[in-house]
Amino acid sequence: QVQLVESGGGLVQPGGSLRLSCAASGIIFSINYMGWYRQAPGKQRELVATITFSGSTNYADPVLGRFTISRDNAKKTVYLQMNSLKPEDTAVYYCNADVNTRVYWGKGTLVTVSP
């Protein structure tokens, strides 16, 4: 059974930074893309950023220039460095990955941006 486990969420003031991590575990033969989505209260889940095995990245417009996605293939881990955080970034952040040609989701980690 493959699992994705996120960490690094928490409370931060506007303008601050956080770094999220997501580690994949289990019987893993291949990981194609990995990414982050978020869901704010009362809103639909939305894409934040994705990264392919070779390192090609894609970002949603609201986070472009503030967030950076990266991955360590040896550790089967994807990271999301979030800088210049805004209150509208408050959401549950979910890790997402294509592992062994199947899509998996983590349980999410809460990020709260508030004074």
Side-chain angles (χ1 to χ4, degrees), residues 69-87:
I69 190 171
S70 60
R71 64 188 282 176
D72 185 327
N73 291 327
K75 294 182 179 179
K76 301 180 179 64
T77 299
V78 62
Y79 306 96
L80 186 68
Q81 178 66 43
M82 305 185 294
N83 298 329
S84 302
L85 282 161
K86 304 175 181 180

Side-chain angles (χ1 to χ4, degrees), residues 29-77:
F29 300 104
S30 65
I31 302 178
N32 185 9
Y33 74 83
M34 302 184 81
W36 293 94
Y37 286 70
R38 67 185 182 186
Q39 187 166 18
K43 295 188 177 182
Q44 290 187 333
R45 192 173 298 188
E46 63 178 7
L47 170 73
V48 176
T50 60
I51 185 168
T52 66
F53 181 83
S54 60
S56 296
T57 58
N58 178 54
Y59 295 93
D61 286 345
V63 307
L64 196 60
R66 299 188 297 122
F67 292 10
T68 302
I69 190 171
S70 60
R71 64 188 282 176
D72 185 327
N73 291 327
K75 294 182 179 179
K76 301 180 179 64
T77 299

Side-chain angles (χ1 to χ4, degrees), residues 2 4 33 37 95-106:
V2 173
L4 301 178
Y33 74 83
Y37 286 70
C95 179
N96 168 270
D98 179 341
V99 181
N100 301 337
T101 70
R102 178 177 172 181
V103 176
Y104 291 87
W105 291 88

